[in-house]
């Protein structure tokens, strides 16, 4: 049978579809090897499972040459604007962004401070109502013989669990609206305003917490503190902006994933180190100094952002897209329903589901851990809580980065498959935590979690490479919305489950979390069916085609092939 020369046998991307006009429509900093394909046939021809004909390879070569000429060589081999064409220094951003994140992430320690403060405050009220006395001073601190060193009653733990859930709702609902707005503004106005908005919320919250604890105001005022943080966008808007900045200064998929992982590791490590210090401060000095230790670095991060952090979004796009907030907000949904081809949409949708369930299975685990570990049989104090939090978040994140780098070094499997296997370790660690009876067993939990800590950052990186550079903010905004839904769901469900089962089986809530993690593992199977890994650059494809052409020169002519 003779090989057919019909159009049906040709690759999906035809050379006459790639014109200078099409390339001219590409936004600044476009990832050519993926974005050109979406501008032409709405397919991804850059797939290792497809081969390029001689005609198409030549077309790619001409396209790449015209693109470089039309853009006056503004891009390097990684499709990142050259330094001479930027209005900012990439090195400066790579130094400042981790620094700001390191300081800003300390705000997470406020949740532990508030939880322990409520446990101490309401336990004191319970003791006084029973005619007992202890020498705890919540305004200035908790002495070593204070109530944090003793078992908390089931009623007090349940009460704190419900209160923390209420505070979370006060934060999450305003943040939901903020994410919708900032997700569009990040791609229109720029990344920096979103960072400032989130840091203003952090600063307002930490300052108000100091005032509440210092003057012994009603715990209901914590609702206001969390609400102010939510209006600024909370952690969700900060992640939208910081990950968009990471996408601006990184090119290929692997470097983008690694950049996101490193950013997560830095923030987790710093938060872990601070949690140790916060625990010791609470135990030795009190809650007010501990709250002050959270406020100062957060305020410094805001000052650094205002004074030194440059805007990384190209100025051309800022002028071209003003007034399109509604269109960009709508794309938060359309990104998964009508943009791109079917394989891309399904890959994005399944990635989003994987991200949702992987985050849901460990969201609010810090608050649950605080309640669980102060309960019998562990009965930990503030210092012990800080040590464990440091090992779980900081040690786990560093271990996950090392694990990812080692696996890349020996080229044992792609990142997505490693994340799938890591979810099994995550499930196992949660099951173990449900049945621990002493401290050394509990420290095995973060050790087992290490491979699973990469699931969320790897999924973020994968999704970032499936969309164009002009929709990075929209993408990360949609991911942030999912995170908010995770927080709302987790606090509503997990805290309620803990409150209902604390007197029967305090660790039952971890079995529920493990079940959610198992769903994540199952979702990877349809994901791999639809997912096409981003292929090599145009230059690499053309070179590979040239090599194959050299080999074909020794083959019989086409008409002789049967």
């Amino acid at each position: 049978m003779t090989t057919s020369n019909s159009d049906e046998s040709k690759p999906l991307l035809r050379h006459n579809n790639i014109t200078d006009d099409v390339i001219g429509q590409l936004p600044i900093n476009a990832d050519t090897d993926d974005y050109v394909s979406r501008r032409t046939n709405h397919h991804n021809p850059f797939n290792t499972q497809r081969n390029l004909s001689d005609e198409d390879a030549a077309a790619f070569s001409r396209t790449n040459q015209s693109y470089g000429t039309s853009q006056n060589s503004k891009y390097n081999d990684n499709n990142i604007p050259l330094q001479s064409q930027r209005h900012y220094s990439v090195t400066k951003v790579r130094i400042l962004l981790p620094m700001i994140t390191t300081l800003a992430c300390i705000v997470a320690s406020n949740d532990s401070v508030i939880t322990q403060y409520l446990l101490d405050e309401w336990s004191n009220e319970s003791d006084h109502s029973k005619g007992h006395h202890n020498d705890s001073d919540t305004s200035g601190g908790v002495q070593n013989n204070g109530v944090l060193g003793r078992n908390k009653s089931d009623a007090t733990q349940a009460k704190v669990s419900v209160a923390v859930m209420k505070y979370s709702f006060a934060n999450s609902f305003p943040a939901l609206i903020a994410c919708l707005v900032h997700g569009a503004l990040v791609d229109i106005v720029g990344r920096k305003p979103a960072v400032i908005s989130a840091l203003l919320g952090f600063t307002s919250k930490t300052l108000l917490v100091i005032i509440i604890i210092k003057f012994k105001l009603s715990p209901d005022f914590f609702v206001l503190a969390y609400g102010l943080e939510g209006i600024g966008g909370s952690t969700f808007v900060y992640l939208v902006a910081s990950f968009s900045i990471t996408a601006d200064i990184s090119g290929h998929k692997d470097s983008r994933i690694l950049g996101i992982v490193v950013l997560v590791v830095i923030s987790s490590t710093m938060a872990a180190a601070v949690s140790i210090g916060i625990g010791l401060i609470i135990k030795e000095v009190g809650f007010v100094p501990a709250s002050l230790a959270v406020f100062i670095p957060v305020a410094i991060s805001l000052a650094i952002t205002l004074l030194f952090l440059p805007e990384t979004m190209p100025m051309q796009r800022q002028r071209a897209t003003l007034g399109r907030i509604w269109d960009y907000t709508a794309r938060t949904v359309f990104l998964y329903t009508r943009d791109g081809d079917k394989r891309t949409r399904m890959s994005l949708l399944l990635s989003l589901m994987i991200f949702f369930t992987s985050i849901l299975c460990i969201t609010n685990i810090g608050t649950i851990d605080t309640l669980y570990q102060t309960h019998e049989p562990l009965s930990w104090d503030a210092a012990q809580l800080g040590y464990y939090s440091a090992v779980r978040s900081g040690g786990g994140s560093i271990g996950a980065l090392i694990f990812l780098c080692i696996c890349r070094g020996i080229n044992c499997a792609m990142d997505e498959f490693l994340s799938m296997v890591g979810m099994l370790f995550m499930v196992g660690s949660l099951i173990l935590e449900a049945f621990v009876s002493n401290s050394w067993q509990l420290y095995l939990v973060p050790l087992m979690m290490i491979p699973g800590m990469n699931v969320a950052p790897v999924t973020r990186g994968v999704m970032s490479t499936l969309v164009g550079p002009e929709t990075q903010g929209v993408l990360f905004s949609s991911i942030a919305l999912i995170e908010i839904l995770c927080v709302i769901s987790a606090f509503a469900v997990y805290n309620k489950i803990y409150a209902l089962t604390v007197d029967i089986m305090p660790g039952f809530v971890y079995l529920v979390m493990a079940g959610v993690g198992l769903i994540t593992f199952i979702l990877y199977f349809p994901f791999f069916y639809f997912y096409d890994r981003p292929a090599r650059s145009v230059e690499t494809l053309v070179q590979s085609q040239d090599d194959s052409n050299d080999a074909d020169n020794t083959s019989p002519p086409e008409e002789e092939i049967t």
Side-chain angles (χ1 to χ4, degrees):
M1 178 179 178
T2 306
T3 303
S4 173
N5 292 326
S6 64
D7 291 341
E8 287 78 5
S9 64
K10 295 294 184 181
L12 291 174
L13 182 61
R14 300 291 297 148
H15 74 277
N16 54 8
N17 287 330
I18 307 180
T19 64
D20 292 343
D21 294 336
V22 171
I23 296 302
Q25 298 175 22
L26 288 171
I28 300 296
N29 197 20
D31 290 329
T32 308
D33 58 346
D34 182 62
Y35 200 79
V36 169
S37 64
R38 303 180 191 281
R39 286 286 187 174
T40 53
N41 301 57
H42 305 292
H43 289 282
N44 180 13
F46 301 104
N47 187 327
T48 54
Q49 298 176 353
R50 298 187 178 98
N51 294 320
L52 294 174
S53 66
D54 296 345
E55 188 178 16
D56 289 320
F60 280 127
S61 179
R62 291 194 299 272
T63 297
N64 202 36
Q65 292 173 3
S66 65
Y67 180 67
T69 302
S70 63
Q71 296 295 329
N72 298 321
S73 301
K74 293 183 180 180
Y75 299 88
N76 62 13
D77 293 337
N78 292 328
N79 295 312
I80 304 175
L82 296 175
Q83 182 63 44
S84 60
Q85 300 296 329
R86 287 195 183 95
H87 57 279
Y88 65 92
S89 167
V90 172
T91 302
K92 182 179 180 180
V93 175
R94 286 175 175 168
I95 293 173
L96 287 178
L97 184 60
M99 182 187 303
I100 294 169
T101 303
T102 298
L103 297 171
C105 70
I106 297 176
V107 73
S109 301
N110 239 2
D111 296 334
S112 179
V113 172
I114 293 171
T115 302
Q116 294 181 59
Y117 171 76
L118 293 176
L119 283 170
D120 183 74
E121 185 76 7
W122 288 339
S123 294
N124 288 339
E125 293 178 359
S126 177
D127 287 345
H128 286 307
S129 66
K130 295 177 182 179
H132 298 159
H133 174 72
N134 69 75
D135 50 1
S136 172
D137 180 8
T138 57
S139 64
V142 177
Q143 304 301 324
N144 290 338
N145 59 346
V147 72
L148 279 177
R150 304 203 307 271
N151 297 335
K152 304 296 179 296
S153 69
D154 294 343
T156 300
Q157 290 228 329
K159 184 178 179 181
V160 172
S161 178
V162 172
V164 172
M165 178 179 64
K166 181 173 64 175
Y167 303 153
S168 173
F169 290 160
N171 174 276
S172 299
F173 286 112
L176 184 68
I177 305 301
C179 275
L180 286 172
V181 176
H182 282 289
L185 293 178
V186 160
D187 286 328
I188 298 175
V189 178
R191 325 302 195 193
K192 185 174 179 178
V195 176
I196 294 174
S197 174
L199 293 179
L200 281 173
F202 294 161
T203 306
S204 301
K205 174 189 176 182
T206 53
L207 180 60
L208 188 55
V209 167
I210 295 175
I211 296 173
I212 294 171
I213 295 177
K214 175 63 178 177
F215 296 101
K216 299 183 181 180
L217 301 180
S218 170
D220 290 337
F221 281 100
F222 285 127
V223 174
L224 177 60
Y226 277 86
L228 289 174
E229 182 186 30
I231 292 173
S234 190
T235 306
F236 311 108
V237 165
Y238 182 82
L239 292 179
V240 169
S242 61
F243 290 145
S244 297
I245 292 173
T246 303
D248 290 338
I249 61 177
S250 60
H252 295 309
K253 167 181 171 287
D254 289 344
S255 63
R256 189 169 299 182
I257 290 177
L258 187 61
I260 292 176
V261 171
V262 168
L263 204 62
V264 171
V265 168
I266 290 175
S267 60
S268 300
T269 304
M270 187 61 186
V274 170
S275 67
I276 296 177
I278 293 297
L280 292 174
I281 293 173
I282 292 175
K283 182 178 180 179
E284 301 296 336
V285 185
F287 291 105
V288 172
S291 302
L292 189 62
V294 175
F295 169 76
I296 292 175
V298 171
I300 293 175
S301 68
L302 175 61
I304 293 175
T305 302
L306 290 171
L307 297 176
F308 303 109
L309 182 67
E311 177 57 63
T312 61
M313 192 180 74
M315 298 299 293
Q316 292 89 335
R317 258 192 286 156
Q318 292 184 47
R319 291 195 299 267
T321 56
L322 286 175
R324 298 174 59 192
I325 295 179
W326 172 249
D327 292 339
Y328 273 77
T329 302
R331 292 193 69 180
T332 303
V333 176
F334 296 147
L335 197 65
Y336 302 93
T337 58
R338 71 183 188 188
D339 286 1
D341 60 283
K342 179 180 178 181
R343 294 181 69 91
T344 301
R345 292 196 304 269
M346 290 301 300
S347 297
L348 277 172
L349 188 60
L350 287 167
S351 297
L352 194 67
M353 295 171 65
I354 288 172
F355 183 85
F356 174 76
T357 52
S358 67
I359 291 294
L360 183 61
C361 79
I362 58 173
T363 296
N364 195 34
I365 194 172
T367 302
I368 298 296
D369 279 349
T370 300
L371 297 171
Y372 181 65
Q373 292 158 9
T374 55
H375 192 272
E376 293 179 339
L378 298 175
S379 303
W380 281 4
D381 61 17
Q384 290 173 301
L385 294 174
Y387 292 141
Y388 178 80
S389 178
V391 172
R392 179 177 57 81
S393 58
S397 297
I398 294 176
L401 177 60
I402 295 174
F403 174 77
L404 180 64
C405 292
I406 291 176
C407 291
R408 281 187 173 185
I410 62 178
N411 198 26
C412 64
M414 62 182 183
D415 298 340
E416 297 86 343
F417 181 77
L418 293 175
S419 299
M420 178 182 180
V421 175
M423 278 310 304
L424 289 179
F425 284 88
M426 181 71 72
V427 170
S429 68
L430 292 169
I431 294 175
L432 173 62
E433 189 165 9
F435 296 101
V436 297
S437 57
N438 52 57
S439 297
W440 72 266
Q441 292 175 345
L442 192 60
Y443 276 96
L444 294 177
V445 173
L447 183 63
M448 288 188 64
M449 278 188 176
I450 286 177
M453 298 290 285
N454 284 323
V455 176
V458 168
T459 305
R460 276 192 176 102
V462 168
M463 295 177 70
S464 177
T465 61
L466 291 174
V467 301
E470 86 289 358
T471 54
Q472 293 295 319
V474 171
L475 171 70
F476 288 120
S477 175
S478 67
I479 295 175
L481 293 176
I482 290 297
E483 286 190 271
I484 295 174
L485 293 177
C486 284
V487 171
I488 295 174
S489 303
F491 274 89
V493 176
Y494 295 154
N495 284 52
K496 192 65 175 178
I497 291 175
Y498 184 83
L500 293 174
T501 61
V502 63
D503 56 341
I504 303 173
M505 180 184 177
F508 179 78
V509 65
Y510 294 108
L511 297 180
V512 178
M513 294 177 178
V516 177
L518 190 60
I519 295 175
T520 306
F521 175 78
I522 295 173
L523 285 172
Y524 272 102
F525 290 99
F527 168 76
F528 283 121
Y529 176 79
F530 288 101
Y531 178 55
D532 280 334
R533 298 194 76 199
R536 298 160 294 175
S537 64
V538 174
E539 295 88 346
T540 307
L541 286 168
V542 173
Q543 181 61 43
S544 299
Q545 184 65 30
D546 291 341
D547 294 340
S548 64
N549 290 341
D550 293 341
D552 290 342
N553 290 336
T554 59
S555 302
E558 182 177 340
E559 54 270 17
E560 297 180 9
I561 299 177
T562 60

